[in-house]
Amino acid sequence: MTSASEHLPLPADTVVAVIGAGTIGLSWARQFASHGHPVRIFDPRPDLATVVAAFAAEHPDLASHITRAESVADAVRGAGAIQESTPEKLEIKRRLLTDLAAAEPGHALILSSSSTLPASRMAEGLPDQVAARLLIGHPFNPPHLMPLVEVVPGDRTSPESTERALAFYRSVGREPVLLHREVAGFVGNRLQNAVLREAVHLVQTGVVSAADLDSLVTNSLGLRWAAVGPFEGMHLGGGPAGFRGFMEHIGPSFAAIDLHEPDLSAEGMDPVHRQVEEAYGSRGSAESAERRDRIQADILERRNVPPN
Ligand SMILES: NC(=O)c1ccc[n+]([C@@H]2O[C@H](COP(=O)([O-])OP(=O)(O)OC[C@H]3O[C@@H](n4cnc5c(N)ncnc54)[C@H](O)[C@@H]3O)[C@@H](O)[C@H]2O)c1
């Protein structure tokens, strides 16, 4: 069911404040600016001017849309939406929200990129009229490329703010998914965590090498899941009987496969770390990140091709 407010995304000339100019904040700034929003960006980092200048040099078409703000109050003046991407620390986010409560005009959406902190906890101690406009808008990195935004209201977020957030993210080209209740790690990272735990266990027990496990995923599940999710994938894989038939036929055998907890101690992780570093170097290279982003962008472009 939709309501009138869902059809009212922020006009493209509405200012969006980006608080925190790190990995996620800068990527959000790019996405909002590329959809026409004037973006005001604030971060106490001493090199903010250099960072914003480098951004403008790298994206000359967006340069006129990005302004460096001198303070939180300066950033949020007249803003219709505020996307905070400060460090993942409850006390930092709470302090920022207290500043926002004093500074912002009283109608802006307050969206947090937090990966783990629920809006209900962040809102403790805030006035109702601020808590009503605060919710999680959790992206996958980098948000200018990854379409998903997990929208997670807190227990005091108003339904209207949730609808406005969904409409806002759609209007800037993202594909928000609404979570119906707060859950640790939200959904994307819970799924990622489940796969990573089993992956570490399989490498630790010598079933497969780290590099071969990556190859196995990119050549099977990863490729499929860019086109269809696990449920639709199984529905198709189940033939005429669909997912129901698949579960009745193979479900019990799947359920009987035992999954194990990985050994996360330093000793347990050492061989896994060594395998990853042997395969990919001591840290991921810029070239590999560029290749990853290029392939993902190509897949996204292909996904927009209508089915034949
Ligand atoms: N990196 C990821 O993969 C990822 C993915 C999704 C969500 N997130 C979430 O996004 C948020 C930011 O993560 P990041 O990876 O961009 O971190 P980051 O460390 O790259 O950037 C954080 C920025 O916040 C700034 N900052 C510190 N205190 C501030 C304050 N009081 N006001 C304004 N800015 C302040 C820092 O100077 C820094 O530039 C976190 O909540 C994180 O959980 C991260």
Side-chain angles (χ1 to χ4, degrees):
M1 203 178 77
T2 59
S3 74
S5 61
E6 194 164 352
H7 300 294
L8 291 173
L10 294 175
D13 60 357
T14 309
V15 170
V16 177
V18 167
I19 311 290
T23 307
I24 297 298
L26 288 171
S27 176
W28 270 131
R30 179 172 171 185
Q31 186 66 16
F32 300 146
S34 70
H35 281 75
H37 288 285
V39 174
R40 275 202 229 112
I41 191 156
F42 172 71
D43 190 310
R45 60 191 288 177
D47 62 345
L48 182 63
T50 314
V51 167
V52 172
F55 179 95
E58 208 179 322
H59 309 287
D61 50 324
L62 303 179
S64 64
H65 288 267
I66 308 273
T67 318
R68 176 169 58 93
E70 299 293 339
S71 63
V72 168
D74 182 24
V76 303
R77 196 171 16 88
I82 300 163
Q83 181 83 43
E84 82 77 22
S85 304
T86 58
E88 190 70 354
K89 292 241 166 27
L90 186 59
E91 59 282 9
I92 294 183
K93 300 214 191 260
R94 278 208 178 130
R95 210 174 314 127
L96 170 71
L97 289 165
T98 307
D99 289 350
L100 278 178
E104 61 93 20
H107 61 264
L109 278 171
I110 307 174
L111 303 158
S112 170
S113 300
S114 175
S115 306
T116 59
L117 301 167
S120 299
R121 282 197 72 200
M122 282 188 228
E124 281 165 16
L126 289 176
D128 284 343
Q129 63 93 1
V130 178
R133 289 176 286 116
L134 169 67
L135 65 167
I136 301 295
H138 172 242
F140 254 50
N141 186 26
H144 70 265
L145 188 60
M146 289 287 187
L148 175 68
V149 187
E150 292 179 275
V151 169
V152 198
D155 52 13
R156 288 197 289 154
T157 310
S158 73
E160 195 218 341
S161 297
T162 304
E163 289 185 4
R164 285 172 63 208
L166 292 167
F168 169 58
Y169 285 127
R170 285 189 194 112
S171 76
V172 293
R174 300 299 72 183
E175 297 204 15
V177 168
L178 174 64
L179 308 198
H180 298 291
R181 70 180 178 83
E182 293 176 314
V183 60
F186 311 129
V187 172
N189 279 332
R190 287 183 79 89
L191 293 173
Q192 179 160 251
N193 196 10
V195 172
L196 191 63
R197 270 144 100 154
E198 185 59 19
V200 169
H201 171 74
L202 289 166
V203 171
Q204 278 176 335
T205 50
V207 173
V208 67
S209 71
D212 281 351
L213 186 133
D214 277 358
S215 163
L216 190 151
V217 171
T218 54
N219 286 304
S220 59
L221 295 173
L223 204 49
R224 177 180 295 158
W225 286 349
V228 291
F231 286 118
E232 190 181 1
M234 288 299 191
H235 202 42
L236 294 170
F243 181 54
R244 189 181 293 274
F246 179 88
M247 288 309 287
E248 281 167 10
H249 182 209
I250 303 177
S253 315
F254 264 34
I257 298 172
D258 52 338
L259 301 176
H260 297 273
E261 284 302 313
D263 173 3
L264 296 181
S265 68
E267 203 177 39
M269 286 306 295
D270 185 58
V272 185
H273 290 316
R274 273 194 284 110
Q275 285 195 34
V276 170
E277 286 161 8
E278 266 162 34
Y280 306 117
S282 61
R283 52 171 298 173
S285 69
E287 293 73 33
S288 301
E290 266 165 37
R291 178 173 175 274
R292 174 202 63 191
D293 290 353
R294 205 174 51 242
I295 293 171
Q296 289 175 167
D298 286 350
I299 292 171
L300 283 173
E301 204 177 317
R302 289 297 305 166
R303 269 195 353 189
N304 292 332
V305 175
N308 52 21

